[in-house]
Amino acid sequence: MFKSAVFDLKHAEKEQVKEFLNSFDTVLSDCDGVLWIDNNAIPGSADTMNYFRKIGKRVFFVTNNSTKIRSDFALKAQQLGFIADENEILSTSYLVAHYLKSIGFKKKVYLIGSNGIGDELNAVGIKHVGVGPDHVKPDFKSLKPTDLDSEVGAVVVGFDEHVSYPKFMKAASYLASEDCLFVATNTDERFPKSSSIVVPGSGTLVRAVETCSERKALVLGKPHEYIRKYLESCGLNPARTLMIGDRCNTDIEFGVRCGFQTLLVLTGVTSTRDLEKIRKEQIAPLPDVVLPKLGDLLEIVKS
Ligand SMILES: [Mg+2]
């Protein structure tokens, strides 16, 4: 009943909501725009996530954000009222470290990114260089082969507020070697908008490095399927998994690609108007179910 069109759960009967709740065992939720916005919890989200846990669901927090380590994400979630353990946090900073460790990577990473990724790499014993400013010199093309680190065997690109031309030159120079791995956290175009200022996201940097290296990155974050493979190794059944998100082109696309059920909430990036546009123009996959906010689910159950 939930697969053929977008089902507005807000107007569902209590029995339909119960049937929906019985249709999955695992809940994956995006964070920003679903559970919280910046440092403010979205009303009702914590109670609903904690309720999922109470009725026996496994819960994971899935975020494309690469600027924090898992324990910091878990702490933030706990401070905002969510029951959360760091093992339930699937951030792209962690996925980068997990991926490189899983393939037995022993060399050094050239990192266009932040300490979030750097600290996760440290935790699995992988060395890295590149975090922090790398200023443009008067002669912007003045990079020499001796400026490159011969131990580097992978370029990782995530969010980096210190991104600069020398960083692009180094990344592309390392990637000129076919043996050098190319891994990216995510390809989000922008940060969620809170004013008229556009804040470019990691995708901006990934596309720049792809362009100058003439290579394609292995992208680990949503909507790519690496997370499903990771979770299948923890016993996840895709057909009985619900993905909750606020963006059709990352969260819902990810859920659809992985064979999960999908729930869109309208507290973040995708608005009611966007959803109508997506429905008409078919520019992104539609969710199975929609709710104005996650907390509405618990209100219906308890009504
Ligand atoms: Mg989001």
Side-chain angles (χ1 to χ4, degrees), residues 30-34 192 222 246-247 251 269:
D30 174 53
C31 298
D32 226 340
V34 177
K222 298 169 290 182
D246 68 302
R247 284 176 76 132
D251 304 321
V269 172

